[in-house]
Amino acid sequence: MAIKKQYLKSKPICKVTFSIEAEDAKKVALVGSFNDWNAKKAPLKKLKNGTFKGTIDLEKDNSYEFKYVIDGTYVNDPEADAYAWNDFAGTENGVVTV
């Protein structure tokens, strides 16, 4: 699992690439406060090595809660910048800060 950040000089945007190893998974999506927790808005693409990967644009100087959805199961990224408790789900969400 990895999170890579690329800041744009021309815009207040950070391109954030999320990747997670899920070799046996059929579908992986990225959900979070940036896409209303909607798995259809950020499906990740499966690479030949079994890693799922995707890049999204996030506004700089903000923090966003997120999780991966691997075949219907919510999973945190151990490399998240921080974690925030979510009363609704009764668990923690990963946090990425850009």
Side-chain angles (χ1 to χ4, degrees), residues 65-80:
E65 292 186 28
F66 75 98
K67 281 194 180 243
Y68 297 102
V69 183
I70 302 174
D71 291 338
T73 301
Y74 288 83
V75 177
N76 265 330
D77 191 324
E79 294 184 23

Side-chain angles (χ1 to χ4, degrees), residues 28-32 35-44 69 74:
V28 177
L30 179 69
V31 296
N35 67 4
D36 297 323
W37 300 91
N38 186 334
K40 292 180 182 174
K41 290 184 179 179
L44 301 183
V69 183
Y74 288 83

Side-chain angles (χ1 to χ4, degrees), residues 5 29 45 72:
K5 302 171 188 174
K45 185 177 180 185

Side-chain angles (χ1 to χ4, degrees), residues 2 9 15 23-24 30 33 35-39 42-43 53-55 57-58 68 71 75 79 97-98:
K9 292 180 182 177
K15 289 191 168 293
E23 204 169 320
D24 297 330
L30 179 69
S33 54
N35 67 4
D36 297 323
W37 300 91
N38 186 334
K53 190 174 191 178
T55 302
D57 292 349
L58 297 177
Y68 297 102
D71 291 338
V75 177
E79 294 184 23
T97 303
V98 294

Side-chain angles (χ1 to χ4, degrees), residues 1 9 11 13 31-32 35 41-42 47-48 50 52 56 58 61 64 67-68 72 75 77 88-89 91 93 95 98:
M1 296 186 211
K9 292 180 182 177
K11 298 177 188 173
I13 295 290
V31 296
N35 67 4
K41 290 184 179 179
L47 307 178
K48 288 181 182 177
F52 283 79
I56 60 170
L58 297 177
D61 302 322
Y64 303 89
K67 281 194 180 243
Y68 297 102
V75 177
D77 191 324
F88 178 76
T91 187
N93 292 329
V95 175
V98 294

